[in-house]
Amino acid sequence: MHGSNQSGVSDFLLLGISESLEEQQIMFWMFLSMYLVTVMGNLLIILAISFDSHLHTPMYLFLANLSFTDLFFVTNTIPKTLVNLQSQDKAISYTGCLTQLYFLVCLVTLDNLILATMAYDRYVAICRPLCYITAMSPGLCILLLTLCWALSVLYGLFLTLLMTKVTFCGPRRIHYIFCEMYVLLRLACSNTQMIHTVQITTGCFIFFTPLGVMVMSYVWIVQAILRIPSASSKYKAFSTCGSHLAVVSLFYGTLSMVYLQPLKTHSMKDSVATVMYAVVTPMMNPFIYSLRNKDMHGALGRLLLGKAFQRLIG
């Protein structure tokens, strides 16, 4: 049973949230519906931004990257979950589990960093509007995104390599919909205290530093908006930030439900919170960003009408 890795196991069992066959059927159709909505919504956002020149601005460049991240995130986890819900064989290989974990860490980190970058973009747009074109130049935007991607890839690789040092024995039953670091550490029979400490320390830096950037950006944004004399101008300025604030609240709210707790504790609340940040948040983001955004409404309308017109003349 020993493979080339140090775990001493060949696979894990992804049991999901429930072992009841009736509940698994309900969850299959629920996850399939949410997955299709998530894929369609994020693809439409990416296509609308790509093909509409009006949206070739820093804010929408960051939004397109956020949508790509969400699309990749659900594709990393949900297809395997759907297969497991319809199959008696719920095994996932050790390599497959670590691969899933790598992309999970990488993409959650990337989401976090992009949200911080978007907050900085809103700060410059509202607090330093005359300098916006030069302060958020295309070169700087590409540099910021490159840093976000590079840090995310390296952090995901770092934590995944740490997990290869963990030894697993006994039951390898994962009551989650994917391979998640906290759950894997709970299954370990080797001493994981050092790894857990490193994870908490680096995780706090990776996640709370961007959160600090967001908080400071919005403190300055609110101060700047309160100085605007016109009520309509205040509303317009606040409305440009509302969508971002809603996504940040949903993202950090669901993550904190899972990770801001002791390692050894586990309850059904963890599984529900996992579904929230793994499925619901990526599904809701396109709706939140397009619901009250006139520019996005126009771009989506032109995109869909253009496709319909091509079918008619085709």
Side-chain angles (χ1 to χ4, degrees):
M1 187 145 179
H2 287 266
S4 58
N5 59 67
Q6 298 182 41
S7 69
V9 298
S10 58
D11 54 31
F12 297 89
L13 295 176
L14 279 174
L15 300 177
I17 298 173
S18 172
E19 295 186 50
S20 165
L21 292 178
E22 290 183 2
E23 291 180 359
Q24 285 182 9
Q25 284 301 308
I26 294 172
M27 285 188 287
F28 172 81
W29 291 109
M30 181 183 73
F31 282 129
L32 178 61
S33 301
M34 290 194 293
Y35 178 66
L36 293 176
V37 170
T38 302
V39 170
M40 183 63 68
N42 283 289
L43 271 179
L44 283 174
I45 293 289
I46 293 169
L47 290 173
I49 293 171
S50 300
F51 290 110
D52 196 310
S53 58
H54 297 93
L55 302 184
H56 291 176
T57 63
M59 181 177 74
Y60 291 108
L61 174 64
F62 300 140
L63 178 56
N65 275 264
L66 186 69
S67 290
F68 177 80
T69 305
D70 288 340
L71 184 60
F72 197 174
F73 186 91
V74 294
T75 302
N76 176 49
T77 55
I78 302 307
K80 177 62 178 173
T81 301
L82 294 174
V83 170
N84 285 353
L85 288 171
Q86 291 293 95
S87 171
Q88 295 298 316
D89 181 15
K90 302 182 185 299
I92 182 171
S93 68
Y94 174 78
T95 302
C97 195
L98 286 189
T99 300
Q100 199 176 68
L101 174 65
Y102 166 75
F103 284 113
L104 172 69
V105 174
C106 177
L107 295 170
V108 170
T109 305
L110 184 57
D111 245 1
N112 182 51
L113 294 174
I114 290 176
L115 287 172
T117 307
M118 294 173 78
Y120 175 72
D121 172 76
R122 292 299 81 206
Y123 157 73
V124 177
I126 294 172
C127 299
R128 301 174 59 195
L130 298 179
C131 305
Y132 184 76
I133 295 177
T134 54
M136 296 301 295
S137 64
L140 178 61
C141 293
I142 296 300
L143 177 61
L144 289 172
L145 284 173
T146 302
L147 287 173
C148 290
W149 278 89
L151 285 172
S152 302
V153 167
L154 291 173
Y155 186 59
L157 185 61
F158 171 69
L159 287 189
T160 306
L161 288 175
L162 274 183
M163 287 301 298
T164 63
K165 308 298 181 184
V166 176
T167 301
F168 299 98
C169 52
R172 304 182 304 279
R173 299 157 66 87
I174 300 176
H175 289 275
Y176 260 51
I177 59 175
F178 51 76
C179 292
E180 191 269 336
M181 179 165 283
Y182 257 36
V183 179
L184 292 177
L185 288 176
R186 290 183 187 122
L187 296 177
C189 56
S190 58
N191 189 342
T192 61
Q193 186 60 44
M194 185 274 290
I195 292 175
H196 185 228
T197 302
V198 170
Q199 180 207 4
I200 292 295
T201 304
T202 57
C204 286
F205 177 77
I206 287 288
F207 285 92
F208 287 116
T209 301
L211 180 60
V213 170
M214 286 184 253
V215 170
M216 290 306 300
S217 295
Y218 276 105
V219 167
W220 289 323
I221 286 170
V222 169
Q223 289 177 347
I225 291 175
L226 291 177
R227 288 195 293 267
I228 299 174
S230 168
S232 59
S233 298
K234 283 183 181 179
Y235 175 78
K236 184 178 179 181
F238 269 122
S239 67
T240 64
C241 304
S243 299
H244 182 261
L245 278 172
V247 170
V248 169
S249 301
L250 189 60
F251 178 78
Y252 275 96
T254 53
L255 277 185
S256 62
M257 288 172 65
V258 178
Y259 296 111
L260 294 184
Q261 59 174 310
L263 177 61
K264 297 298 181 183
T265 63
H266 176 76
S267 66
M268 183 54 66
K269 181 192 72 172
D270 300 319
S271 298
V272 173
T274 299
V275 172
M276 285 292 292
Y277 90 77
V279 186
V280 177
T281 300
M283 179 182 71
M284 292 302 298
N285 285 354
F287 294 101
I288 292 172
Y289 274 108
S290 60
L291 193 61
R292 298 175 65 185
N293 189 316
K294 293 181 180 179
D295 292 334
M296 188 59 70
H297 285 174
L300 288 170
R302 287 187 289 273
L303 176 68
L304 296 174
L305 287 173
K307 294 294 182 184
F309 180 72
Q310 285 178 3
R311 286 196 207 99
L312 286 174
I313 65 174

